[in-house]
Amino acid sequence: MTFGGAVGAGTALGTLNLTTTNSAGLVLTNTANRFSTLTASAGNGGINIANANALTVTAASSSNGTIQISTETGNLTVTGAVATGNNSATAITMMAGRSANRVGSPG
């Protein structure tokens, strides 16, 4: 799927293959999303993806934006390249089990 940017408020399921060609980027941060596999290319925009369970990232790229991918629970498996032209300290942030890593979380 190629389009001019994505911002999602609802939940999404299954395999996600997204490409955008402008600076809007890809923002799908509902923590109830249930993707199994992610392939994303954001042109000049950033990528910000949250997922409820385990997620396999086959590729994620952006020319200049930051890349943030996380799971609330479950593993985050990377099987392909994750790359951006952004050289900031937070250019690529990936976190598995984010809910378990929050300050004050039990366990």
Side-chain angles (χ1 to χ4, degrees):
M1 177 184 297
T2 302
F3 51 91
V7 177
T11 61
L13 305 170
T15 298
L16 186 62
N17 296 299
L18 296 173
T19 301
T20 183
T21 56
N22 68 17
S23 61
L26 302 169
V27 180
L28 298 168
T29 56
N30 187 319
T31 57
N33 288 332
R34 295 187 186 280
F35 309 121
S36 57
T37 305
L38 169 69
T39 303
S41 176
N44 286 323
I47 298 171
N48 190 347
I49 305 288
N51 200 59
N53 300 317
L55 176 65
T56 298
V57 178
T58 59
S61 65
S62 171
S63 296
N64 297 310
T66 60
I67 297 175
Q68 300 173 0
I69 302 171
S70 64
T71 64
E72 289 298 302
T73 62
N75 292 331
L76 181 57
T77 304
V78 179
T79 62
V82 176
T84 180
N86 185 307
N87 60 7
S88 69
T90 58
I92 298 174
T93 305
M94 302 181 84
M95 182 181 288
R98 185 171 74 169
S99 62
N101 290 309
R102 289 191 178 115
V103 174
S105 292

